[in-house]
């Protein structure tokens, strides 16, 4: 089946620094990717929809300037957490749909645990 | 807006059958999905129902009643490895998935 690769799996950074998370579709092209945030024992909250070659669509309450999304190719989307603060510490997960064969199935990356000190 | 409700926790023993319910309120409805997530891992797709009725895939089955805005995931012959969180998710008018808060299933020996 389709595979979505997400890196890094874990990152620890100092407050005020920026962190980039990569999400790649390994064996299919993804014109759209989704970025979620998940707190322990909680639901996946959609942050934004990443569209290849155009601007991302952000959900209400998500700061565009803080969570920068770039989807420059059909297999790569990046999420940059700018000027990270401790409250940004969370589990970030990306997902994509294989429009050719996957139907309604979303394929998820393995997630990135971000800890901001 | 969209909202989904599912139980926060369910406990069952190995070999048993468990049903996880999900009720939803959405603006527009295209389908109901179920995902499994083990601690620290990625969610994995289990099923998708767009029409009323029961879909069976091995030990797992999923049911949908659109008129009742209700669905459930049925897990049979429970195994220890089934201990995980299970999320229902609705595809609404925005064509995006909105996830429920998840049900933590604990399978006891």
């Amino acid at each position: 089946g389709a595979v979505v690769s997400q890196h890094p799996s874990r990152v620890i950074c100092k407050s005020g620094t920026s962190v980039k998370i990569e999400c790649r579709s390994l064996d299919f092209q993804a014109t759209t990717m989704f970025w979620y945030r998940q707190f322990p024992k909680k639901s996946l909250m959609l942050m934004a929809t990443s569209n290849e070659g155009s601007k991302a669509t952000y959900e209400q309450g998500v700061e565009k300037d803080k969570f920068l999304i770039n989807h420059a190719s059909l297999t790569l989307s990046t999420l940059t957490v700018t000027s990270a603060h401790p409250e940004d510490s969370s589990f970030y997960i990306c997902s994509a749909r294989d429009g050719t064969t996957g139907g309604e199935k979303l394929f998820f990356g393995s997630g990135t645990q971000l800890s901001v000190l | 807006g969209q909202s989904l409700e599912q139980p926060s926790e369910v406990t069952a023993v190995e070999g048993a059958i468990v049903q996880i319910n999900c009720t939803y309120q959405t603006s527009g409805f295209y389908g109901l999905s179920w995902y499994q997530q083990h601690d620290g891992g990625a969610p994995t797709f289990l099923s998708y129902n767009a029409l009323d009725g029961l879909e069976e895939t091995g030990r797992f089955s999923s049911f949908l009643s659109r008129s009742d805005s209700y669905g459930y995931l049925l897990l049979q012959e429970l195994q220890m490895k089934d201990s995980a969180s299970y999320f229902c998710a609705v595809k609404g008018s925005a064509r995006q998935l909105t996830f429920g808060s998840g049900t933590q299933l604990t399978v006891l020996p």
Side-chain angles (χ1 to χ4, degrees):
Chain A
V3 176
V4 173
S5 175
Q6 184 173 344
H7 293 282
S9 58
R10 182 178 296 273
V11 58
I12 302 173
C13 69
K14 292 183 179 180
S15 186
T17 60
S18 294
V19 174
K20 180 185 284 188
I21 302 170
E22 292 189 348
C23 181
R24 295 180 184 272
S25 56
L26 296 187
D27 49 0
F28 66 99
Q29 294 182 332
T31 55
T32 302
M33 290 186 176
F34 305 95
W35 287 96
Y36 296 85
R37 183 174 181 176
Q38 186 177 33
F39 292 101
K41 305 297 184 182
K42 297 294 184 183
S43 183
L44 294 96
M45 302 300 297
L46 180 65
M47 298 175 64
T49 301
S50 172
N51 304 297
E52 187 270 334
S54 64
K55 291 183 179 180
T57 304
Y58 290 81
E59 295 301 302
Q60 191 172 8
V62 177
E63 298 177 59
K64 301 178 183 181
D65 294 333
K66 181 161 191 64
F67 298 100
L68 298 179
I69 291 173
N70 183 276
H71 195 153
S73 78
L74 286 171
T75 59
L76 174 64
S77 174
T78 61
L79 169 68
T80 301
V81 183
T82 62
S83 186
H85 288 93
E87 58 265 31
D88 298 324
S89 298
S90 188
F91 192 56
Y92 294 87
I93 315 178
C94 67
S95 72
R97 183 177 288 115
D98 182 353
T100 304
T101 63
E104 292 299 327
K105 186 184 299 186
L106 272 185
F107 297 94
F108 283 83
S110 53
T112 299
Q113 183 63 53
L114 171 64
S115 299
V116 184
L117 305 178
Chain B
Q2 306 191 102
S3 68
L4 297 91
E5 286 194 22
Q6 54 181 126
S8 58
E9 294 179 341
V10 172
T11 302
V13 296
E14 264 188 305
I17 299 173
V18 70
Q19 178 174 313
I20 300 174
N21 298 320
C22 175
T23 58
Y24 58 86
Q25 288 185 317
T26 68
S27 52
F29 177 85
Y30 287 90
L32 182 71
S33 299
W34 288 92
Y35 285 81
Q36 178 193 61
Q37 185 182 29
H38 287 95
D39 276 349
T44 56
F45 174 86
L46 293 177
S47 68
Y48 176 75
N49 295 63
L51 302 175
D52 291 351
L54 189 68
E55 297 275 348
E56 299 181 62
T57 308
R59 294 187 297 114
F60 294 1
S61 302
S62 57
F63 171 83
L64 174 66
S65 170
R66 289 174 296 170
S67 60
D68 295 323
S69 297
Y70 163 76
Y72 66 72
L73 179 69
L74 189 72
L75 299 86
Q76 302 182 74
E77 300 174 19
L78 281 177
Q79 302 175 8
M80 297 294 289
K81 66 178 182 180
D82 297 330
S83 292
S85 290
Y86 292 84
F87 295 89
C88 58
V90 166
K91 182 179 181 182
S93 57
R95 306 297 182 100
Q96 297 164 343
L97 281 187
T98 299
F99 285 82
S101 55
T103 299
Q104 178 66 49
L105 171 64
T106 302
V107 180
L108 302 175

